[in-house]
Structure formats: structure tokens, C-alpha cells
Amino acid sequence: SILTNGASNSVTDAWVNGKKITERDIACKNGYIHKVDGVMTSSDNMAGIIHSHANMSLFGSLLDRYSAPYYNEAATKEYNRLYNNNDSVFVMRYFSSTSATGDLSAGPDGDLVDAQLSFDPGWNQYMYSNTAGRDLHYDAGAMLVPTNEALDYWWNHDGKALQDMYGKWENVPLKVLAQMMNINMINTFSETVPSKFDYIVDNTTKVSLGITANDVDSCFMGCNGVVYLINKVFSPAAYSSVSFPALINENIMNVIYWGIENLNFEPYLNSMDSYYSFFIPTNTAMLRYVDPCSFKSSVSILYEFYYDTDAKTVKAHRYGYDLATQEIQTGTSLSDATSEEVSNRLTDLLNSLIIVGNVEDGHTYYKSKGGSPVMVSNSGQEGVMTVYGGLQIETNTPITVTTIYDQSQTGNGKSYVVNDQMPLTSKRSTYSILKDNPEYSKFYELLFGSKLLSTRLSSRYNCIDYNVNLFDAYNYTVYVPTNDVIEKLQADGILPDWGDYDDLTAEQFDGDAALLKKAQTIVSDRISNFLRYHIQDNSVFIGGEPLSSVKYETSKLNPLNSRFFSLTVSADDDRMTISDQLGNVRNVVKTGGLYNQIGREYWIQTSGQTNLIYNASDVVVHQIDGALFYDNDQLTSWRDEVNALNTTNDAKGRRK
């Protein structure tokens, strides 16, 4: 009934080019005849249908903004042959990712266009992608075209943000408008007939648009697809997303929006199932990106990201940069970043700019999508609110939030615009945090002597100094007992140090090298297990997300059940307590600022002159007022365990 505009409600009826078959399957010697109720004429294409209908004129004018006349050599030759003329023939084509010649992304002059439609509605022989082995009759496209009245209503209500920004439809940039145009363009008609309307989805979020039969005013069959005239406008998720400010402010935010659009962040940020806080750097801020891959060098590298309007892509100049003075070093212009490096850094950056949650809920520390922490103060106040990434905390350079966009009423959160710089991740590793604070020295000595630190991850990846090899591309917490606590454990014979390991000799075991090896293993395992149990999955902060007796796994595996021993953590804005497997409750020490110490460890892939962030792990270090234990055996004397190796074994005749 919908497809025939009420002319039929029976699946036994058949129609060809709008004419009903009244008598079918009349057999002849050389084929069949179907009798129809009128003279058939060729059907127009979808673009032609839209332009011939008065109530689609506004949508048609928007559609034409994506079109241009292209010279057609074959048509020119045929026309001039037929009419003995010397004219040029042009074909109206639409900038689209699916067209007669594949991807049509350049205008007639060869310059790349700003945006594309999903397909060319004027292409008579429309074929969507992935149709190998199928002919032109297999399927068609479909378009949802709002009436003029529906578009006018939307422009004055749900689309008011666009109206306030641009004033007129014709002023809306092609890239911004394309979000709405493409949500109304459906690649395959057969899978979205009226009985399957639930399967028509937003092309970025893959969530159902919610179109119903009642939304359809009328239906028009074309030679390349079907046009549904609808009485409402379906807004794309991008118009309600926290990324919307970057989309509509293309003159000052097109660098970061290019990353959103081209590095697969658009579906994530368009999701309406979560609340996001999104820090959006302007193009000015994007001129001050300090490259993490250069932290190992004495001179850092500054990326100046910019949008190349000719190539329609983001590129980056590079310079030597002094982190202490925050100035470009004169005469240090380097070769531009490769496209692979640009994508690599922008991906890492975007992961650290997106917070899943509300940064205005009254806390100080928040974890980004990628696990990197940011520190927020004076939240919710434009011009007063500040944000710190790990690097800004280390250099004491807060970034001011200049503008706040509230997308929470109809969308998925708030956007916070920064103009000075973007929040950047830490340059400190766990190793450097421990090494640079004397209050951590005893724990540092144990870790540095262990096999838990690495300088390389296979032959392909290196790091800034030392990385904890227990870490993966995740976020972690390291609890460091005070020096006094560790010294007492060592004095009581509960915890050895690496000097005890070095003091072991074969002579202590009557020259038995195998016993010496066992003794060394006892000592190294006692230290390694102690360290592993003080390293926890998930970064937790005083002033971060409140925690009430939350269990977290450590890096120490329980051999009895092949699961990791856990710690139980409670925290608020003022304190944090950690309970171990034996019921000991330890407190984070706040004196001296030895808590919430943020770090990040990078594995860097180097190939020739190209450096890429392979992966990164985020870490926070807290000092605690006691040690953590998972087993009572840890509280026994390690010396007794070593000495027991020399116990007389009568069966083997071994001497003590």
C-alpha cells in the first residue's frame, strides 16, 4: 500500500513503471505478454523525481549543492554524430562515494570537494558497493526526502543551532549539511522496504532512525531507486553529539574534526548511550602538540598541525622545542611529519581528549577514553575552568576552557573548547617517578634490580627510559610503601634486597650450584611477588571517582586458581584506603605530595625516520603507610627458607 500510494494492498498485484499488470503470463511461442493498464514510459532517476515534485524543492536545492556539470566525451561524440554538430555535452553528476566512476571526490576542475553524498542519485545505472557477480537489476537505492514544510519546521526548532550559526540553508557548509543529507540516503532498497523500516539506521551510529509508515506521505519509484516523501526530518546523531561544535566551527576547529571524521571516532562520539565530556582544541591549540616520541631526546619535537585546504587533509610541521621555556628553538625546523605519523598522533590525542562521564560532578581527576588522567578545576565556568593533562601538571601550565557547549539536553554531553594548548599526556615513566623521589627509594631499588623493567619490547619497539613489562595498553596504580616500612621488613628478614641476592654463593651450599640456583630463586621470587602485589590494574585517585570497597586485580597470579590476587580500595576526595588479602588496611600518605603521581609509558616503533606510538600505558603512583600481603607465607623469614635447602636429606646422603 505504501509503495503504490494506496492503489494496492495485495502482494499478488504487480506493477511495472507505475502501471498495474491487469493480465499476466500470456504465453506466446517466443515469450510472454503482460497486459498493463496504461502506456508505460521510462522512469526518472531519484534526482529527477525530487526536482519534479514541488513539495521536494527545498531538499532538491540542498541536493544540488553537491552537483556539477562534467564533460562527457562519449556523449559529445554521439551527439555530434547524430546532429552533425560541434557542441560539447555535459552530464550533471553528484559528488559521492558511489558513482558511475567509483569515488567522485573532485569537481570538474580537478579540485577536491569539501564533502560527498553516499551515492549519486542521478546515476541511472545505480549499483551499491559489494555487488560482485550481480547484475544491474539486483537492487536499487532509496531516499527519505522531507517535505518543504517538514524542513522549515525543523530549521526553526531542532535545527535552530544551524540557523543561529549560518542564517540561511545556503550558508550551511557542505561538510555540515552532508551529515543530514546522507542520513536520508539508503544504499539498498530491498533491505529497507516498509516492512523493514526498523532496519533503517543512522549511518554513523547504526541505531534505528525510528521511521514508521505514518511518516511517509507518498512513494515514487525511479529507474535507480525509490523516493519516500516524508513529513518529518530525521536529525543525524552528529547534530546532537559533543563533536558538533567542531563540525560547525570548521574555520577554527577543522583540524581536530578531520581526526574525528577520518580516524573512526565519529561513531563513538555520536553514540547517545553514554555521557561524554569532550575537550576540543581549536586550530590554534593544535599548533602546540609536544610529541611523546621525542621525550627521550634532550630536545623535544613540537608538531604544528594544520588543515591543507587543497589536499583536504591534516598535515604537520615539526620543530625543536624547549619544554622548560615552552618555546620553539630557532633554526630547528625539521622535515614535516608523514601522514602515518599525523594519524598516529591524532589517534592517541583524541583518546586522551574524550572523557566518558561528567567533569562537572565535583571531582578533580578523570580518566579519558584512552586511560590517561586529566585534572579539572573550576568546572562549568567559561574563562575560569582549567584543565591539565599529565604534561601540564608536570610543567604547571593549566589550560583555560574558553567556551562550553551544552549538548546534554538533546545529545550526549558537553564540549569544552581550549585555545592555548590541548591536554597532553605525561612524559614520566614509573621508573622516573620512583627514581626522582627519594621517599620512594627503597621500592625503587627493589624494582630496578628486578626483571620487571625493560628497555625494549622485541627488536622493533623501544621506550623513553625503562618501562614496567607487566603493563599493557591500559592504566595502572602502583602503591609504594614508605622507606621505613620496607627497611623494617628487610631488618625482620621478611623481605630481602638485591644485596642479599648477590651475597649468596655456592660455598654456602657446599659448592652445589643447583642449590645456589634454588636459593637465588627464593630471594628473587620473594622480591618480585612483593612488587607484583603492589601493582594494580586500573588507575585510582584521591579526588577521582569515589570508590567504596571496590576490588581490583593485582599483577600477582594465584597459582592455586590461576587468578590474580586482588586488593580492595575505597577512596573519596580526601583519602584512600587499600585492604590486602590478609585484612591489613593501608592508607595513602598525603604528606609531601607523594600521591596522585601521574606517569605514562610509551612503546615507540621506529622505522627509518618515522616514529610511531605503538602503545602506551598510564600509571598513577601513591605512597602508602604499610606493605600489602596476599599470603601468610610472605611473613615468614626468607633466610629460614634458604637455610632449609641445606637440611640433611638422609635418603640422599646429603650433608647439612
Side-chain angles (χ1 to χ4, degrees):
S1 178
I2 293 173
L3 295 177
T4 62
N5 295 312
S8 174
N9 58 10
S10 172
V11 295
T12 61
D13 291 340
W15 303 73
V16 182
N17 279 23
K19 302 303 178 183
K20 184 177 181 180
I21 295 179
T22 58
E23 189 177 348
R24 67 180 63 192
D25 300 331
I26 301 171
C28 304
K29 289 185 177 180
N30 60 348
Y32 291 87
I33 292 175
H34 302 292
K35 185 177 180 181
V36 294
D37 64 357
V39 178
M40 288 194 311
T41 57
S42 61
S43 298
D44 211 339
N45 57 47
M46 288 182 281
I49 290 171
I50 293 169
H51 286 97
S52 63
H53 198 294
N55 208 10
M56 301 184 196
S57 59
L58 180 49
F59 190 88
S61 67
L62 301 178
L63 194 68
D64 283 348
R65 294 186 60 194
Y66 297 86
S67 67
Y70 289 78
Y71 174 73
N72 189 298
E73 183 178 7
T76 296
K77 290 180 178 178
E78 182 66 8
Y79 178 82
N80 290 331
R81 182 188 69 80
L82 289 172
Y83 296 99
N84 193 26
N85 212 327
N86 194 29
D87 285 338
S88 296
V89 176
F90 293 81
V91 176
M92 183 70 80
R93 298 184 63 192
Y94 290 83
F95 317 137
S96 56
S97 53
T98 304
S99 73
T101 55
D103 182 71
L104 185 60
S105 57
D109 55 3
D111 292 339
L112 294 176
V113 297
D114 291 328
Q116 296 171 275
L117 301 175
S118 296
F119 55 79
D120 184 344
W123 176 27
N124 291 341
Q125 295 178 313
Y126 169 83
M127 285 273 293
Y128 69 94
S129 56
N130 299 323
T131 53
R134 295 166 177 165
D135 65 17
L136 294 175
H137 307 92
Y138 180 75
D139 203 354
M143 295 183 69
L144 309 176
V145 179
T147 64
N148 293 344
E149 292 80 5
L151 280 169
D152 285 338
Y153 181 85
W154 182 88
W155 182 249
N156 292 304
H157 293 82
D158 291 350
K160 192 67 164 55
L162 292 184
Q163 184 182 146
D164 292 342
M165 186 76 182
Y166 303 111
K168 300 178 181 179
W169 277 109
E170 52 264 35
N171 294 337
V172 180
L174 292 181
K175 184 179 287 292
V176 177
L177 185 61
Q179 297 283 349
M180 188 183 75
M181 302 300 290
N182 285 330
I183 202 174
N184 292 291
M185 303 185 72
I186 303 163
N187 288 332
T188 170
F189 166 66
S190 64
E191 295 177 8
T192 51
V193 293
S195 61
K196 299 180 180 179
F197 273 176
D198 286 345
Y199 297 102
I200 300 178
V201 298
D202 183 302
N203 49 16
T204 60
T205 63
K206 306 307 177 186
V207 174
S208 175
L209 289 183
I211 183 173
T212 67
N214 292 331
D215 298 322
V216 179
D217 176 90
S218 47
C219 177
F220 303 86
M221 295 278 186
C223 67
N224 62 349
V226 177
V227 175
Y228 294 103
L229 181 64
I230 57 175
N231 53 34
K232 67 185 296 185
V233 174
F234 295 98
S235 297
Y239 287 0
S240 301
S241 164
V242 288
S243 65
F244 185 56
L247 172 64
I248 63 175
N249 290 285
E250 64 172 353
N251 290 335
I252 60 171
M253 299 181 190
N254 57 0
V255 173
I256 197 66
Y257 192 77
W258 181 92
I260 294 170
E261 189 176 34
N262 290 275
L263 301 176
N264 207 33
F265 284 88
E266 194 172 33
Y268 185 87
L269 289 173
N270 286 352
S271 170
M272 296 297 143
D273 294 331
S274 299
Y275 184 102
Y276 298 115
S277 298
F278 183 33
F279 293 98
I280 303 179
T282 64
N283 290 353
T284 300
M286 294 298 292
L287 297 174
R288 296 189 59 199
Y289 173 85
V290 184
D291 181 18
C293 292
S294 67
F295 286 155
K296 187 172 184 177
S297 305
S298 57
V299 177
S300 298
I301 294 176
L302 185 78
Y303 273 51
E304 287 189 349
F305 290 107
Y306 67 96
Y307 187 78
D308 187 321
T309 54
D310 293 329
K312 308 299 181 187
T313 190
V314 169
K315 298 180 179 179
H317 301 307
R318 300 191 300 181
Y319 302 91
Y321 186 70
D322 190 329
L323 266 177
T325 62
Q326 298 187 41
E327 293 180 353
I328 292 176
Q329 295 192 335
T330 56
T332 59
S333 177
L334 308 172
S335 60
D336 284 356
T338 65
S339 59
E340 189 177 14
E341 287 173 321
V342 167
S343 296
N344 177 257
R345 302 308 192 276
L346 286 180
T347 299
D348 187 65
L349 174 63
L350 277 162
N351 277 320
S352 66
L353 296 176
I354 302 168
I355 311 295
V356 182
N358 185 359
V359 298
E360 296 185 23
D361 63 5
H363 304 294
T364 304
Y365 290 90
Y366 301 88
K367 276 194 296 188
S368 68
K369 175 180 180 290
S372 300
V374 296
M375 188 172 77
V376 175
S377 60
N378 301 315
S379 60
Q381 304 177 58
E382 290 183 347
V384 179
M385 178 179 176
T386 57
V387 58
Y388 302 73
L391 189 63
Q392 280 81 31
I393 293 173
E394 292 154 23
T395 57
N396 192 27
T397 52
I399 302 168
T400 301
V401 173
T402 58
T403 309
I404 300 175
Y405 289 88
D406 189 351
Q407 301 291 105
S408 61
Q409 298 302 312
T410 58
N412 59 358
K414 286 189 177 183
S415 308
Y416 302 87
V417 179
V418 292
N419 192 56
D420 298 331
Q421 195 180 29
M422 71 293 289
L424 296 172
T425 51
S426 172
K427 67 182 181 68
R428 301 192 298 172
S429 62
T430 308
Y431 161 83
S432 65
I433 292 173
L434 298 176
K435 181 175 181 292
D436 294 343
N437 288 279
E439 296 87 351
Y440 298 149
S441 61
K442 291 301 177 180
F443 192 87
Y444 163 75
E445 290 168 4
L446 294 175
L447 182 64
F448 188 69
S450 73
K451 296 181 180 180
L452 302 183
L453 292 178
S454 302
T455 58
R456 300 192 69 83
L457 182 66
S458 79
S459 60
R460 300 180 60 190
Y461 311 108
N462 57 73
C463 61
I464 295 168
D465 40 41
Y466 291 91
N467 283 357
V468 177
N469 56 33
L470 301 174
F471 294 172
D472 203 347
Y474 196 58
N475 54 93
Y476 303 87
T477 303
V478 177
Y479 299 107
V480 181
T482 64
N483 289 339
D484 290 343
V485 167
I486 293 178
E487 286 174 345
K488 186 174 189 312
L489 292 174
Q490 292 171 338
D492 292 344
I494 293 174
L495 180 66
D497 60 29
W498 293 111
D500 295 318
Y501 180 93
D502 294 336
D503 289 342
L504 294 171
T505 63
E507 286 71 22
Q508 295 173 258
F509 307 97
D510 290 343
D512 192 326
L515 288 182
L516 173 61
K517 185 70 173 177
K518 289 182 179 180
Q520 290 173 331
T521 299
I522 289 171
V523 172
S524 62
D525 283 355
R526 184 72 70 103
I527 296 174
S528 176
N529 292 338
F530 178 84
L531 294 170
R532 285 172 177 269
Y533 193 58
H534 286 76
I535 297 173
Q536 165 195 298
D537 291 352
N538 293 280
S539 297
V540 292
F541 300 85
I542 292 179
E545 179 185 1
L547 306 171
S548 178
S549 299
V550 179
K551 281 192 174 184
Y552 294 103
E553 290 185 337
T554 68
S555 295
K556 171 54 186 168
L557 189 69
N558 184 346
L560 297 180
N561 58 15
S562 297
R563 298 182 64 179
F564 290 94
F565 287 112
S566 64
L567 295 169
T568 303
V569 182
S570 295
D572 55 28
D573 290 341
D574 298 313
R575 61 194 297 269
M576 182 185 296
T577 60
I578 305 96
S579 301
D580 63 18
Q581 298 273 168
L582 301 186
N584 299 308
V585 179
R586 310 305 187 191
N587 300 287
V588 168
V589 179
K590 293 181 67 178
T591 56
L594 299 171
Y595 67 102
N596 288 354
Q597 295 277 309
I598 292 170
R600 197 170 196 233
E601 301 187 354
Y602 306 89
W603 287 115
I604 300 166
Q605 180 181 353
T606 301
S607 177
Q609 299 299 313
T610 300
N611 291 310
L612 302 176
I613 300 171
Y614 172 65
N615 72 29
S617 309
D618 292 279
V619 64
V620 59
V621 178
H622 303 291
Q623 184 147 80
I624 54 177
D625 61 4
L628 303 168
F629 299 99
Y630 58 86
D631 193 302
N632 282 312
D633 287 345
Q634 288 184 282
L635 302 177
T636 61
S637 169
W638 68 269
R639 295 184 186 278
D640 290 347
E641 190 175 355
V642 168
N643 291 335
L645 295 174
N646 271 327
T647 301
T648 303
N649 187 326
D650 294 334
K652 293 185 178 180
R654 214 172 201 172
R655 64 189 296 270
K656 184 175 179 180

